[in-house]
Amino acid sequence: NDLIGYYTTCPWKKSQKWYGDEFDSFLFSLSPPVVIYSSTAQGKHYQYLNTPLEHNRTALRGLAIGGISVDRPRIHITESFENCRVSPIDTTYEPGPLLADDMQGLFDVDVIEVFAVNATASDFEENAKSGALQAAIHEATRQKAAKVDRNQFVEDFAGGTYLNRGFDHRQHTRGHHEFSS
């Protein structure tokens, strides 16, 4: 498994435009050997995060870093984390392979990690509370959907609902379709 990354001090934000600058970012690969690709100060495609509305299908969707043009980033992580793209060259960062030679082009993301290194303590606490609340809501919804009314199930089964009415559609469809040879 190859490990690639991007460091920036520029906060991520949803936008249909590229942002960032050459002083606060670099690409890196942790696959042996460890390599850092610094900014060339020539390109302008540092970082991009866009999840446009359904009616705007023309913009690049997902997370992108580096690149040759607006629609050809060096790293493009799609919204589904599948069929992502990576390239060994671009005009924003120094050239070189990010993934093993046999993996240049398309890849699927197995794991993605994001670290906020300059968040304040109050920002961290607020985000942690928000994340815990979202997780609690998700778990409560999952448990509610998974809960089965056992008494009703036993009554329906004992009353023959599953045995008698489960195949009622057969009676209604018999004779409606004939095969000819």
Side-chain angles (χ1 to χ4, degrees), residues 22-181:
E22 71 264 22
F23 302 112
D24 74 349
S25 63
F26 59 85
L27 291 169
F28 61 90
S29 172
L30 296 180
S31 301
V34 173
V35 182
I36 294 176
Y37 300 106
S38 300
S39 168
T40 62
Q42 295 174 8
K44 58 182 177 184
H45 302 100
Y46 293 97
Q47 63 191 62
Y48 175 93
L49 177 63
N50 187 21
T51 54
L53 300 173
E54 292 297 318
H55 68 274
N56 185 359
R57 291 288 196 177
T58 58
L60 184 64
R61 296 173 69 113
L63 183 147
I65 301 164
I68 296 172
S69 64
V70 173
D71 60 343
R72 292 194 49 205
R74 177 131 178 215
I75 299 173
H76 179 214
I77 299 175
T78 63
E79 292 172 312
S80 67
F81 298 119
E82 296 175 334
N83 296 316
C84 301
R85 294 188 178 274
V86 67
S87 171
I89 59 168
D90 73 290
T91 57
T92 307
Y93 296 98
E94 296 172 323
L98 288 164
L99 300 177
D101 291 335
D102 61 333
M103 293 184 63
Q104 293 299 327
L106 292 175
F107 69 99
D108 293 340
V109 173
D110 292 327
V111 176
I112 190 166
E113 293 184 23
V114 178
F115 297 93
V117 290
N118 47 342
T120 64
S122 62
D123 287 344
F124 180 80
E125 287 178 24
E126 182 180 326
N127 290 336
K129 287 178 185 176
S130 175
L133 177 62
Q134 290 296 326
I137 291 169
H138 176 74
E139 180 60 18
T141 303
R142 187 194 66 77
Q143 287 181 2
K144 185 176 180 181
K147 194 174 187 178
V148 175
D149 185 350
R150 293 180 184 170
N151 291 333
Q152 184 64 46
F153 180 78
V154 170
E155 285 177 25
D156 289 346
F157 193 77
T161 300
Y162 295 108
L163 298 176
N164 296 336
R165 290 189 223 144
F167 299 99
D168 279 352
H169 67 281
R170 290 182 177 176
Q171 293 297 334
H172 297 292
T173 58
R174 283 207 170 105
H176 290 260
H177 191 289
E178 304 225 348
F179 293 97
S180 59
S181 41

